[in-house]
Amino acid sequence: MTQENYANFARQQNASETQVAGRYAIQVLPEKRIVADLLHKLAIEPEDTLLEIGCGPGSLALPLSYLVTETSVVDHQDVLARLKSRGGAKDIRLYPGDFADVTINQQFSKILLYSVLHYLPDFDSIAKFVRKAFDLLLPEGRMVLGDLPNEDKKRRFLASAKGKTFIEEWNLAVAGSDQDFHAKHTISTPNTFGFHDKAVFQLAELVRSWGAETYVLPQPPNLPFGHTREDLVIIKR
Ligand SMILES: C[S@@+](CC[C@H](N)C(=O)[O-])C[C@H]1O[C@@H](n2cnc3c(N)ncnc32)[C@H](O)[C@@H]1O
């Protein structure tokens, strides 16, 4: 189970926050650019109430929490313990557990799911998960389904001249870095979903049918997986 894998990451004191969030140690600087991108995509305002589902060690929720009125997060209790151990977490409301089972009696003006949905087993589970999140969104609220690893986008990028150069440089950089850590602790993937063009647009269309505008937006290429991932922005009516 994916949450258990992340709880194992979180329990390792020698793992960096970047690794606990499922990224490579070499992505520590690109990771810092995600928040600026999300400020626009979520249209963050001081009066916002924010929920992050699958928050990891809080590398996004913590900086965002300074810019809004109230922040709540959902993740495995051991992952939340890691978030709690970082400075500035005292006012964040914690909901430990699998989001599918957690009860939240509140609606939010902004909801973030970043790098989470592809850990679910199939499209139906994703649709159910997103529907539960959508019901927690206030009218006119915004939700970002971010960092969707679209395999078609990745294939197109890797087939390009730029992609070929990139992958050579990437393999060299990772080989000299934390490849062993990731190989040892890698998320077991047999039960996870492979996003592709059709699923991304199917999800956008599904959310529109619930009464929202949805937009598929690119990531700046200098984000951790900016060449191969994309974001779905949802604006509820
Ligand atoms: C790749 S990490 C991303 C963390 C954070 N959103 C970020 O981008 O820095 C995915 C996180 O989602 C959590 N997660 C996966 N499935 C979940 C579920 N069903 N309910 C709540 N959290 C979940 C994992 O435990 C993990 O901490």
Side-chain angles (χ1 to χ4, degrees):
M1 180 208 172
T2 302
Q3 269 200 306
E4 272 307 326
N5 281 311
Y6 275 100
N8 281 333
F9 276 121
R11 285 189 282 261
Q12 289 182 48
Q13 293 310 315
N14 64 342
S16 70
E17 311 305 350
T18 300
Q19 290 169 317
V20 174
R23 302 187 178 94
Y24 290 87
I26 54 167
Q27 293 175 317
V28 65
L29 296 183
E31 182 183 52
K32 291 182 191 295
R33 298 194 184 100
I34 300 173
V35 172
D37 187 41
L38 288 175
L39 289 182
H40 296 291
K41 285 175 177 160
L42 281 168
I44 288 290
E45 290 292 340
E47 55 273 16
D48 276 329
T49 52
L50 171 71
L51 171 68
E52 187 181 1
I53 301 162
C55 61
S59 305
L60 311 179
L62 278 166
L64 288 173
S65 72
Y66 283 97
L67 305 175
V68 298
T69 295
E70 190 190 290
T71 303
S72 300
V73 294
V74 186
D75 211 309
H76 188 287
Q77 60 177 2
D78 291 355
V79 176
L80 295 184
R82 187 79 185 225
L83 177 150
K84 206 66 187 162
S85 72
R86 299 176 82 176
K90 74 175 172 37
D91 293 329
I92 296 183
R93 191 169 301 159
L94 309 179
Y95 289 95
D98 182 328
F99 175 64
D101 306 324
V102 166
T103 302
I104 302 176
N105 295 315
Q106 187 190 341
Q107 282 190 307
F108 301 86
S109 62
K110 305 289 158 73
I111 298 183
L112 175 63
L113 285 93
Y114 204 85
S115 209
V116 174
L117 289 179
H118 54 284
Y119 294 116
L120 296 172
D122 51 47
F123 189 85
D124 283 350
S125 316
I126 290 172
K128 229 171 133 191
F129 203 86
V130 172
R131 178 71 222 200
K132 182 171 176 180
F134 186 77
D135 289 340
L136 294 176
L137 191 62
L138 285 163
E140 299 185 32
R142 271 191 192 228
M143 174 156 75
V144 168
L145 309 180
D147 219 27
L148 304 178
N150 181 342
E151 287 167 7
D152 288 324
K153 181 171 175 165
K154 184 174 182 176
R155 179 179 44 74
R156 287 190 291 273
F157 175 64
L158 292 181
S160 70
K162 197 169 182 173
K164 286 180 182 146
T165 310
F166 174 89
I167 198 67
E168 277 178 25
E169 290 170 2
W170 169 260
N171 286 339
L172 279 176
V174 168
S177 145
D178 55 343
Q179 202 170 27
D180 289 348
F181 178 90
H182 270 264
K184 200 163 148 208
H185 303 291
T186 198
I187 309 308
S188 48
T189 47
N191 223 4
T192 55
F193 186 70
F195 268 99
H196 39 78
D197 285 339
K198 201 170 155 203
V200 170
F201 286 98
Q202 205 180 334
L203 189 56
E205 204 178 332
L206 178 68
V207 180
R208 282 192 177 195
S209 77
W210 298 336
E213 303 309 327
T214 58
Y215 304 92
V216 181
L217 296 183
Q219 293 189 351
N222 59 7
L223 294 197
F225 296 105
H227 292 294
T228 56
R229 298 196 180 187
E230 55 198 353
D231 303 329
L232 209 59
V233 174
I234 294 165
I235 305 173
K236 196 170 186 174
R237 289 297 188 187

